[in-house]
């Protein structure tokens, strides 16, 4: 594994210094796993069963902040016909079927039976009492004019009391919080919330998607190793069981798929995998791939494809939303840095290319800067080298809007997770690795290294959809055109 050194700023709480991390990959080792024989055609094994998307789909969101309100307001705007769902693969993307010469490229939403936007109904939990309109105004992502056009719908969505513990998110606090005798009791309260919402909304199916803050860093412990151990730990208020895990447990126990949009451990532990497999409820995560990491998973594959060397990659971010405030705490930043650092090593495979990627200096910084609000700036300095070792540089300044990039990811995950839940072959898997496209730190089967290359991830996603519909998988070999 790569060596990770924590700077003083990463271990000491300070106002003047941003947390940072240094990364050296000189001792990186490759991971290996057994591969299964691939199927040249979906029909060789797929049972063809996909249950129809009948009725309403309830979307339950822990954390009604900038990302959640931008997502819901956007869906309402698209439903009203006053905006377009730009960035959403499920709404605007197409999928090629058959040969390039066949001319078959339907929209994804017409190819597989996804829930329609008019079928979605929303609720959520938050530590603040603001309804979704007020929360969206406070987040400051969307313009007042657009919000006012969907005010009626947003104002009707008020948050349920949240499961929250200030020890796991030290920079924020709020009054709208559940009380219980232990963590298992809090989980039971969440389960009742889920049942109540399903009944009151008339939803036939539900999805939970974590859009709340990054929690402090937690490593897998004994409490995470089985469902029995997890339940015992919740009864005993084990400190290694964070609030996000309580939401995930409650959702899975109620048969509700769970997506983790933050880098928290949450469902990426044996107990949650056991529960998802046992109850046949899909899970996926971690950490929405939005700004800087999106750029890394585009550029790094290009360097590797052309066998250009990489000596250093310096990344810094400034943002001023609630996420930036939370990440100003070293514990929460540690969770985020783990998510941000993994992509380069897995894409570049330094053990296979030691002369090109065996001595990378990788540094990541996040700076809380309130004036910037949700308009994050991700700045990267990349030192590469080419023919005969001659050095070159690339500099990227991505002035992005974090929640604008995240909102279509939330929509796609909601609709694809619902598709997975209606497909017995997928829901039995538990982890939905085919949704890695949307995450910084994708979950995989135990012992399997994650695929981070954005373009391979997209091929995996689309081939999964082809497989489900008994269409030929696209390999891009193309020899048949020259027979």
């Amino acid at each position: 594994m790569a060596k990770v050194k924590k700077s003083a700023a990463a271990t000491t709480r300070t106002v003047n210094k941003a947390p940072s991390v240094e990364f050296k990959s000189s001792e990186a080792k490759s991971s290996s796993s057994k591969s299964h024989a691939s199927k040249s055609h979906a029909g060789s094994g797929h049972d063809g069963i996909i249950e129809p998307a009948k009725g309403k789909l309830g979307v339950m969101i822990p954390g009604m902040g900038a990302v959640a309100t931008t997502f819901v307001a956007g869906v309402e705007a698209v439903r009203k016909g006053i905006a377009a769902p730009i960035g959403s693969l499920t709404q605007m993307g197409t999928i090629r079927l058959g040969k390039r010469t066949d001319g078959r490229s339907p929209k994804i939403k017409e190819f597989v039976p996804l829930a329609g936007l008019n079928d979605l109904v929303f609720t959520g939990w938050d530590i603040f009492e603001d309804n979704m309109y007020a929360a969206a105004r406070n987040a400051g992502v969307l313009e007042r004019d657009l919000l006012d056009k969907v005010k009626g719908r947003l104002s009707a969505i008020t948050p349920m009391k949240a499961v929250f513990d200030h020890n796991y998110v030290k920079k924020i606090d709020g009054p709208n919080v559940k009380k219980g005798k232990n963590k298992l009791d809090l989980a039971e309260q969440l389960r009742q919330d889920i049942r109540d919402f399903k009944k009151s909304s008339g939803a036939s199916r539900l999805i939970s998607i974590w859009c709340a803050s990054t929690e402090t860093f937690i490593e897998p412990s004994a409490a995470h190793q089985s469902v029995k151990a997890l339940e015992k730990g919740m009864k005993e208020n084990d400190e290694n069981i964070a609030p996000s895990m309580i939401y995930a447990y409650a959702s899975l126990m109620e048969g509700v798929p769970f997506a983790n949009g933050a880098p928290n451990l949450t469902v990426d532990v044996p107990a949650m995998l056991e529960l998802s497999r046992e109850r046949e409820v899909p899970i996926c995560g971690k950490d929405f791939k939005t700004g800087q990491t999106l750029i890394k998973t585009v550029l790094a594959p290009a360097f590797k494809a052309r066998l250009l060397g990489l000596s250093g990659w310096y990344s810094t971010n400034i943002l001023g939303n609630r996420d930036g405030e939370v990440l100003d705490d070293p514990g929460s930043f540690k969770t985020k840095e783990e998510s941000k650092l993994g992509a380069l090593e897995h894409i570049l495979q330094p053990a296979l290319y030691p002369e090109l990627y065996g001595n990378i200096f990788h540094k990541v910084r996040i700076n809380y800067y309130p004036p910037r609000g949700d308009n994050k700036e991700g700045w990267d300095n990349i030192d590469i080298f080419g023919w005969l070792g001659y050095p070159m540089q690339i500099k990227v300044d991505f002035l992005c809007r974090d929640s604008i990039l995240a909102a279509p990811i939330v929509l796609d995950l909601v609709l694809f997770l619902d598709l997975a839940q209606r497909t017995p072959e997928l829901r039995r898997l538990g982890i939905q690795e085919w949704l890695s496209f949307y995450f910084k730190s994708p979950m995989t089967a135990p012992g399997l290294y994650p695929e981070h290359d954005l373009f391979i991830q997209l091929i995996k996603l689309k081939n999964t959809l082809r497989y489900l519909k008994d269409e030929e998988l696209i390999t891009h070999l193309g020899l048949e055109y020259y027979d």
Side-chain angles (χ1 to χ4, degrees), residues 6 23 35 46 54 56 67 121 123 137 177 183 223 227 297 314 323 328 335 370 384 419 422 432 441:
K6 292 184 284 186
F23 179 84
S35 61
H46 177 51
K54 291 182 178 178
K56 296 179 182 178
V67 170
V121 288
T123 192
R137 287 284 309 276
V177 177
K183 293 180 179 181
V227 176
T297 59
Y314 177 90
D323 192 32
D328 205 34
T335 306
I384 64 174
L419 175 69
R422 291 183 281 107
Q432 305 297 307
S441 184

Side-chain angles (χ1 to χ4, degrees), residues 321-374:
N321 58 12
R322 192 189 298 180
D323 192 32
E325 184 178 9
V326 167
L327 293 174
D328 205 34
D329 172 68
S332 292
F333 174 75
K334 174 64 176 172
T335 306
K336 176 66 76 170
E337 80 184 23
E338 291 288 318
S339 175
K340 278 180 167 285
L341 285 174
L344 285 187
E345 183 182 358
H346 286 296
I347 291 172
L348 298 175
Q349 298 177 292
L352 296 180
Y353 303 94
E355 67 274 34
L356 297 177
Y357 312 117
N359 195 35
I360 301 170
F361 184 87
H362 186 191
K363 190 170 188 177
V364 175
R365 295 172 66 90
I366 298 177
N367 303 273
Y368 178 47
Y369 182 59
R372 188 55 59 93
D374 196 67

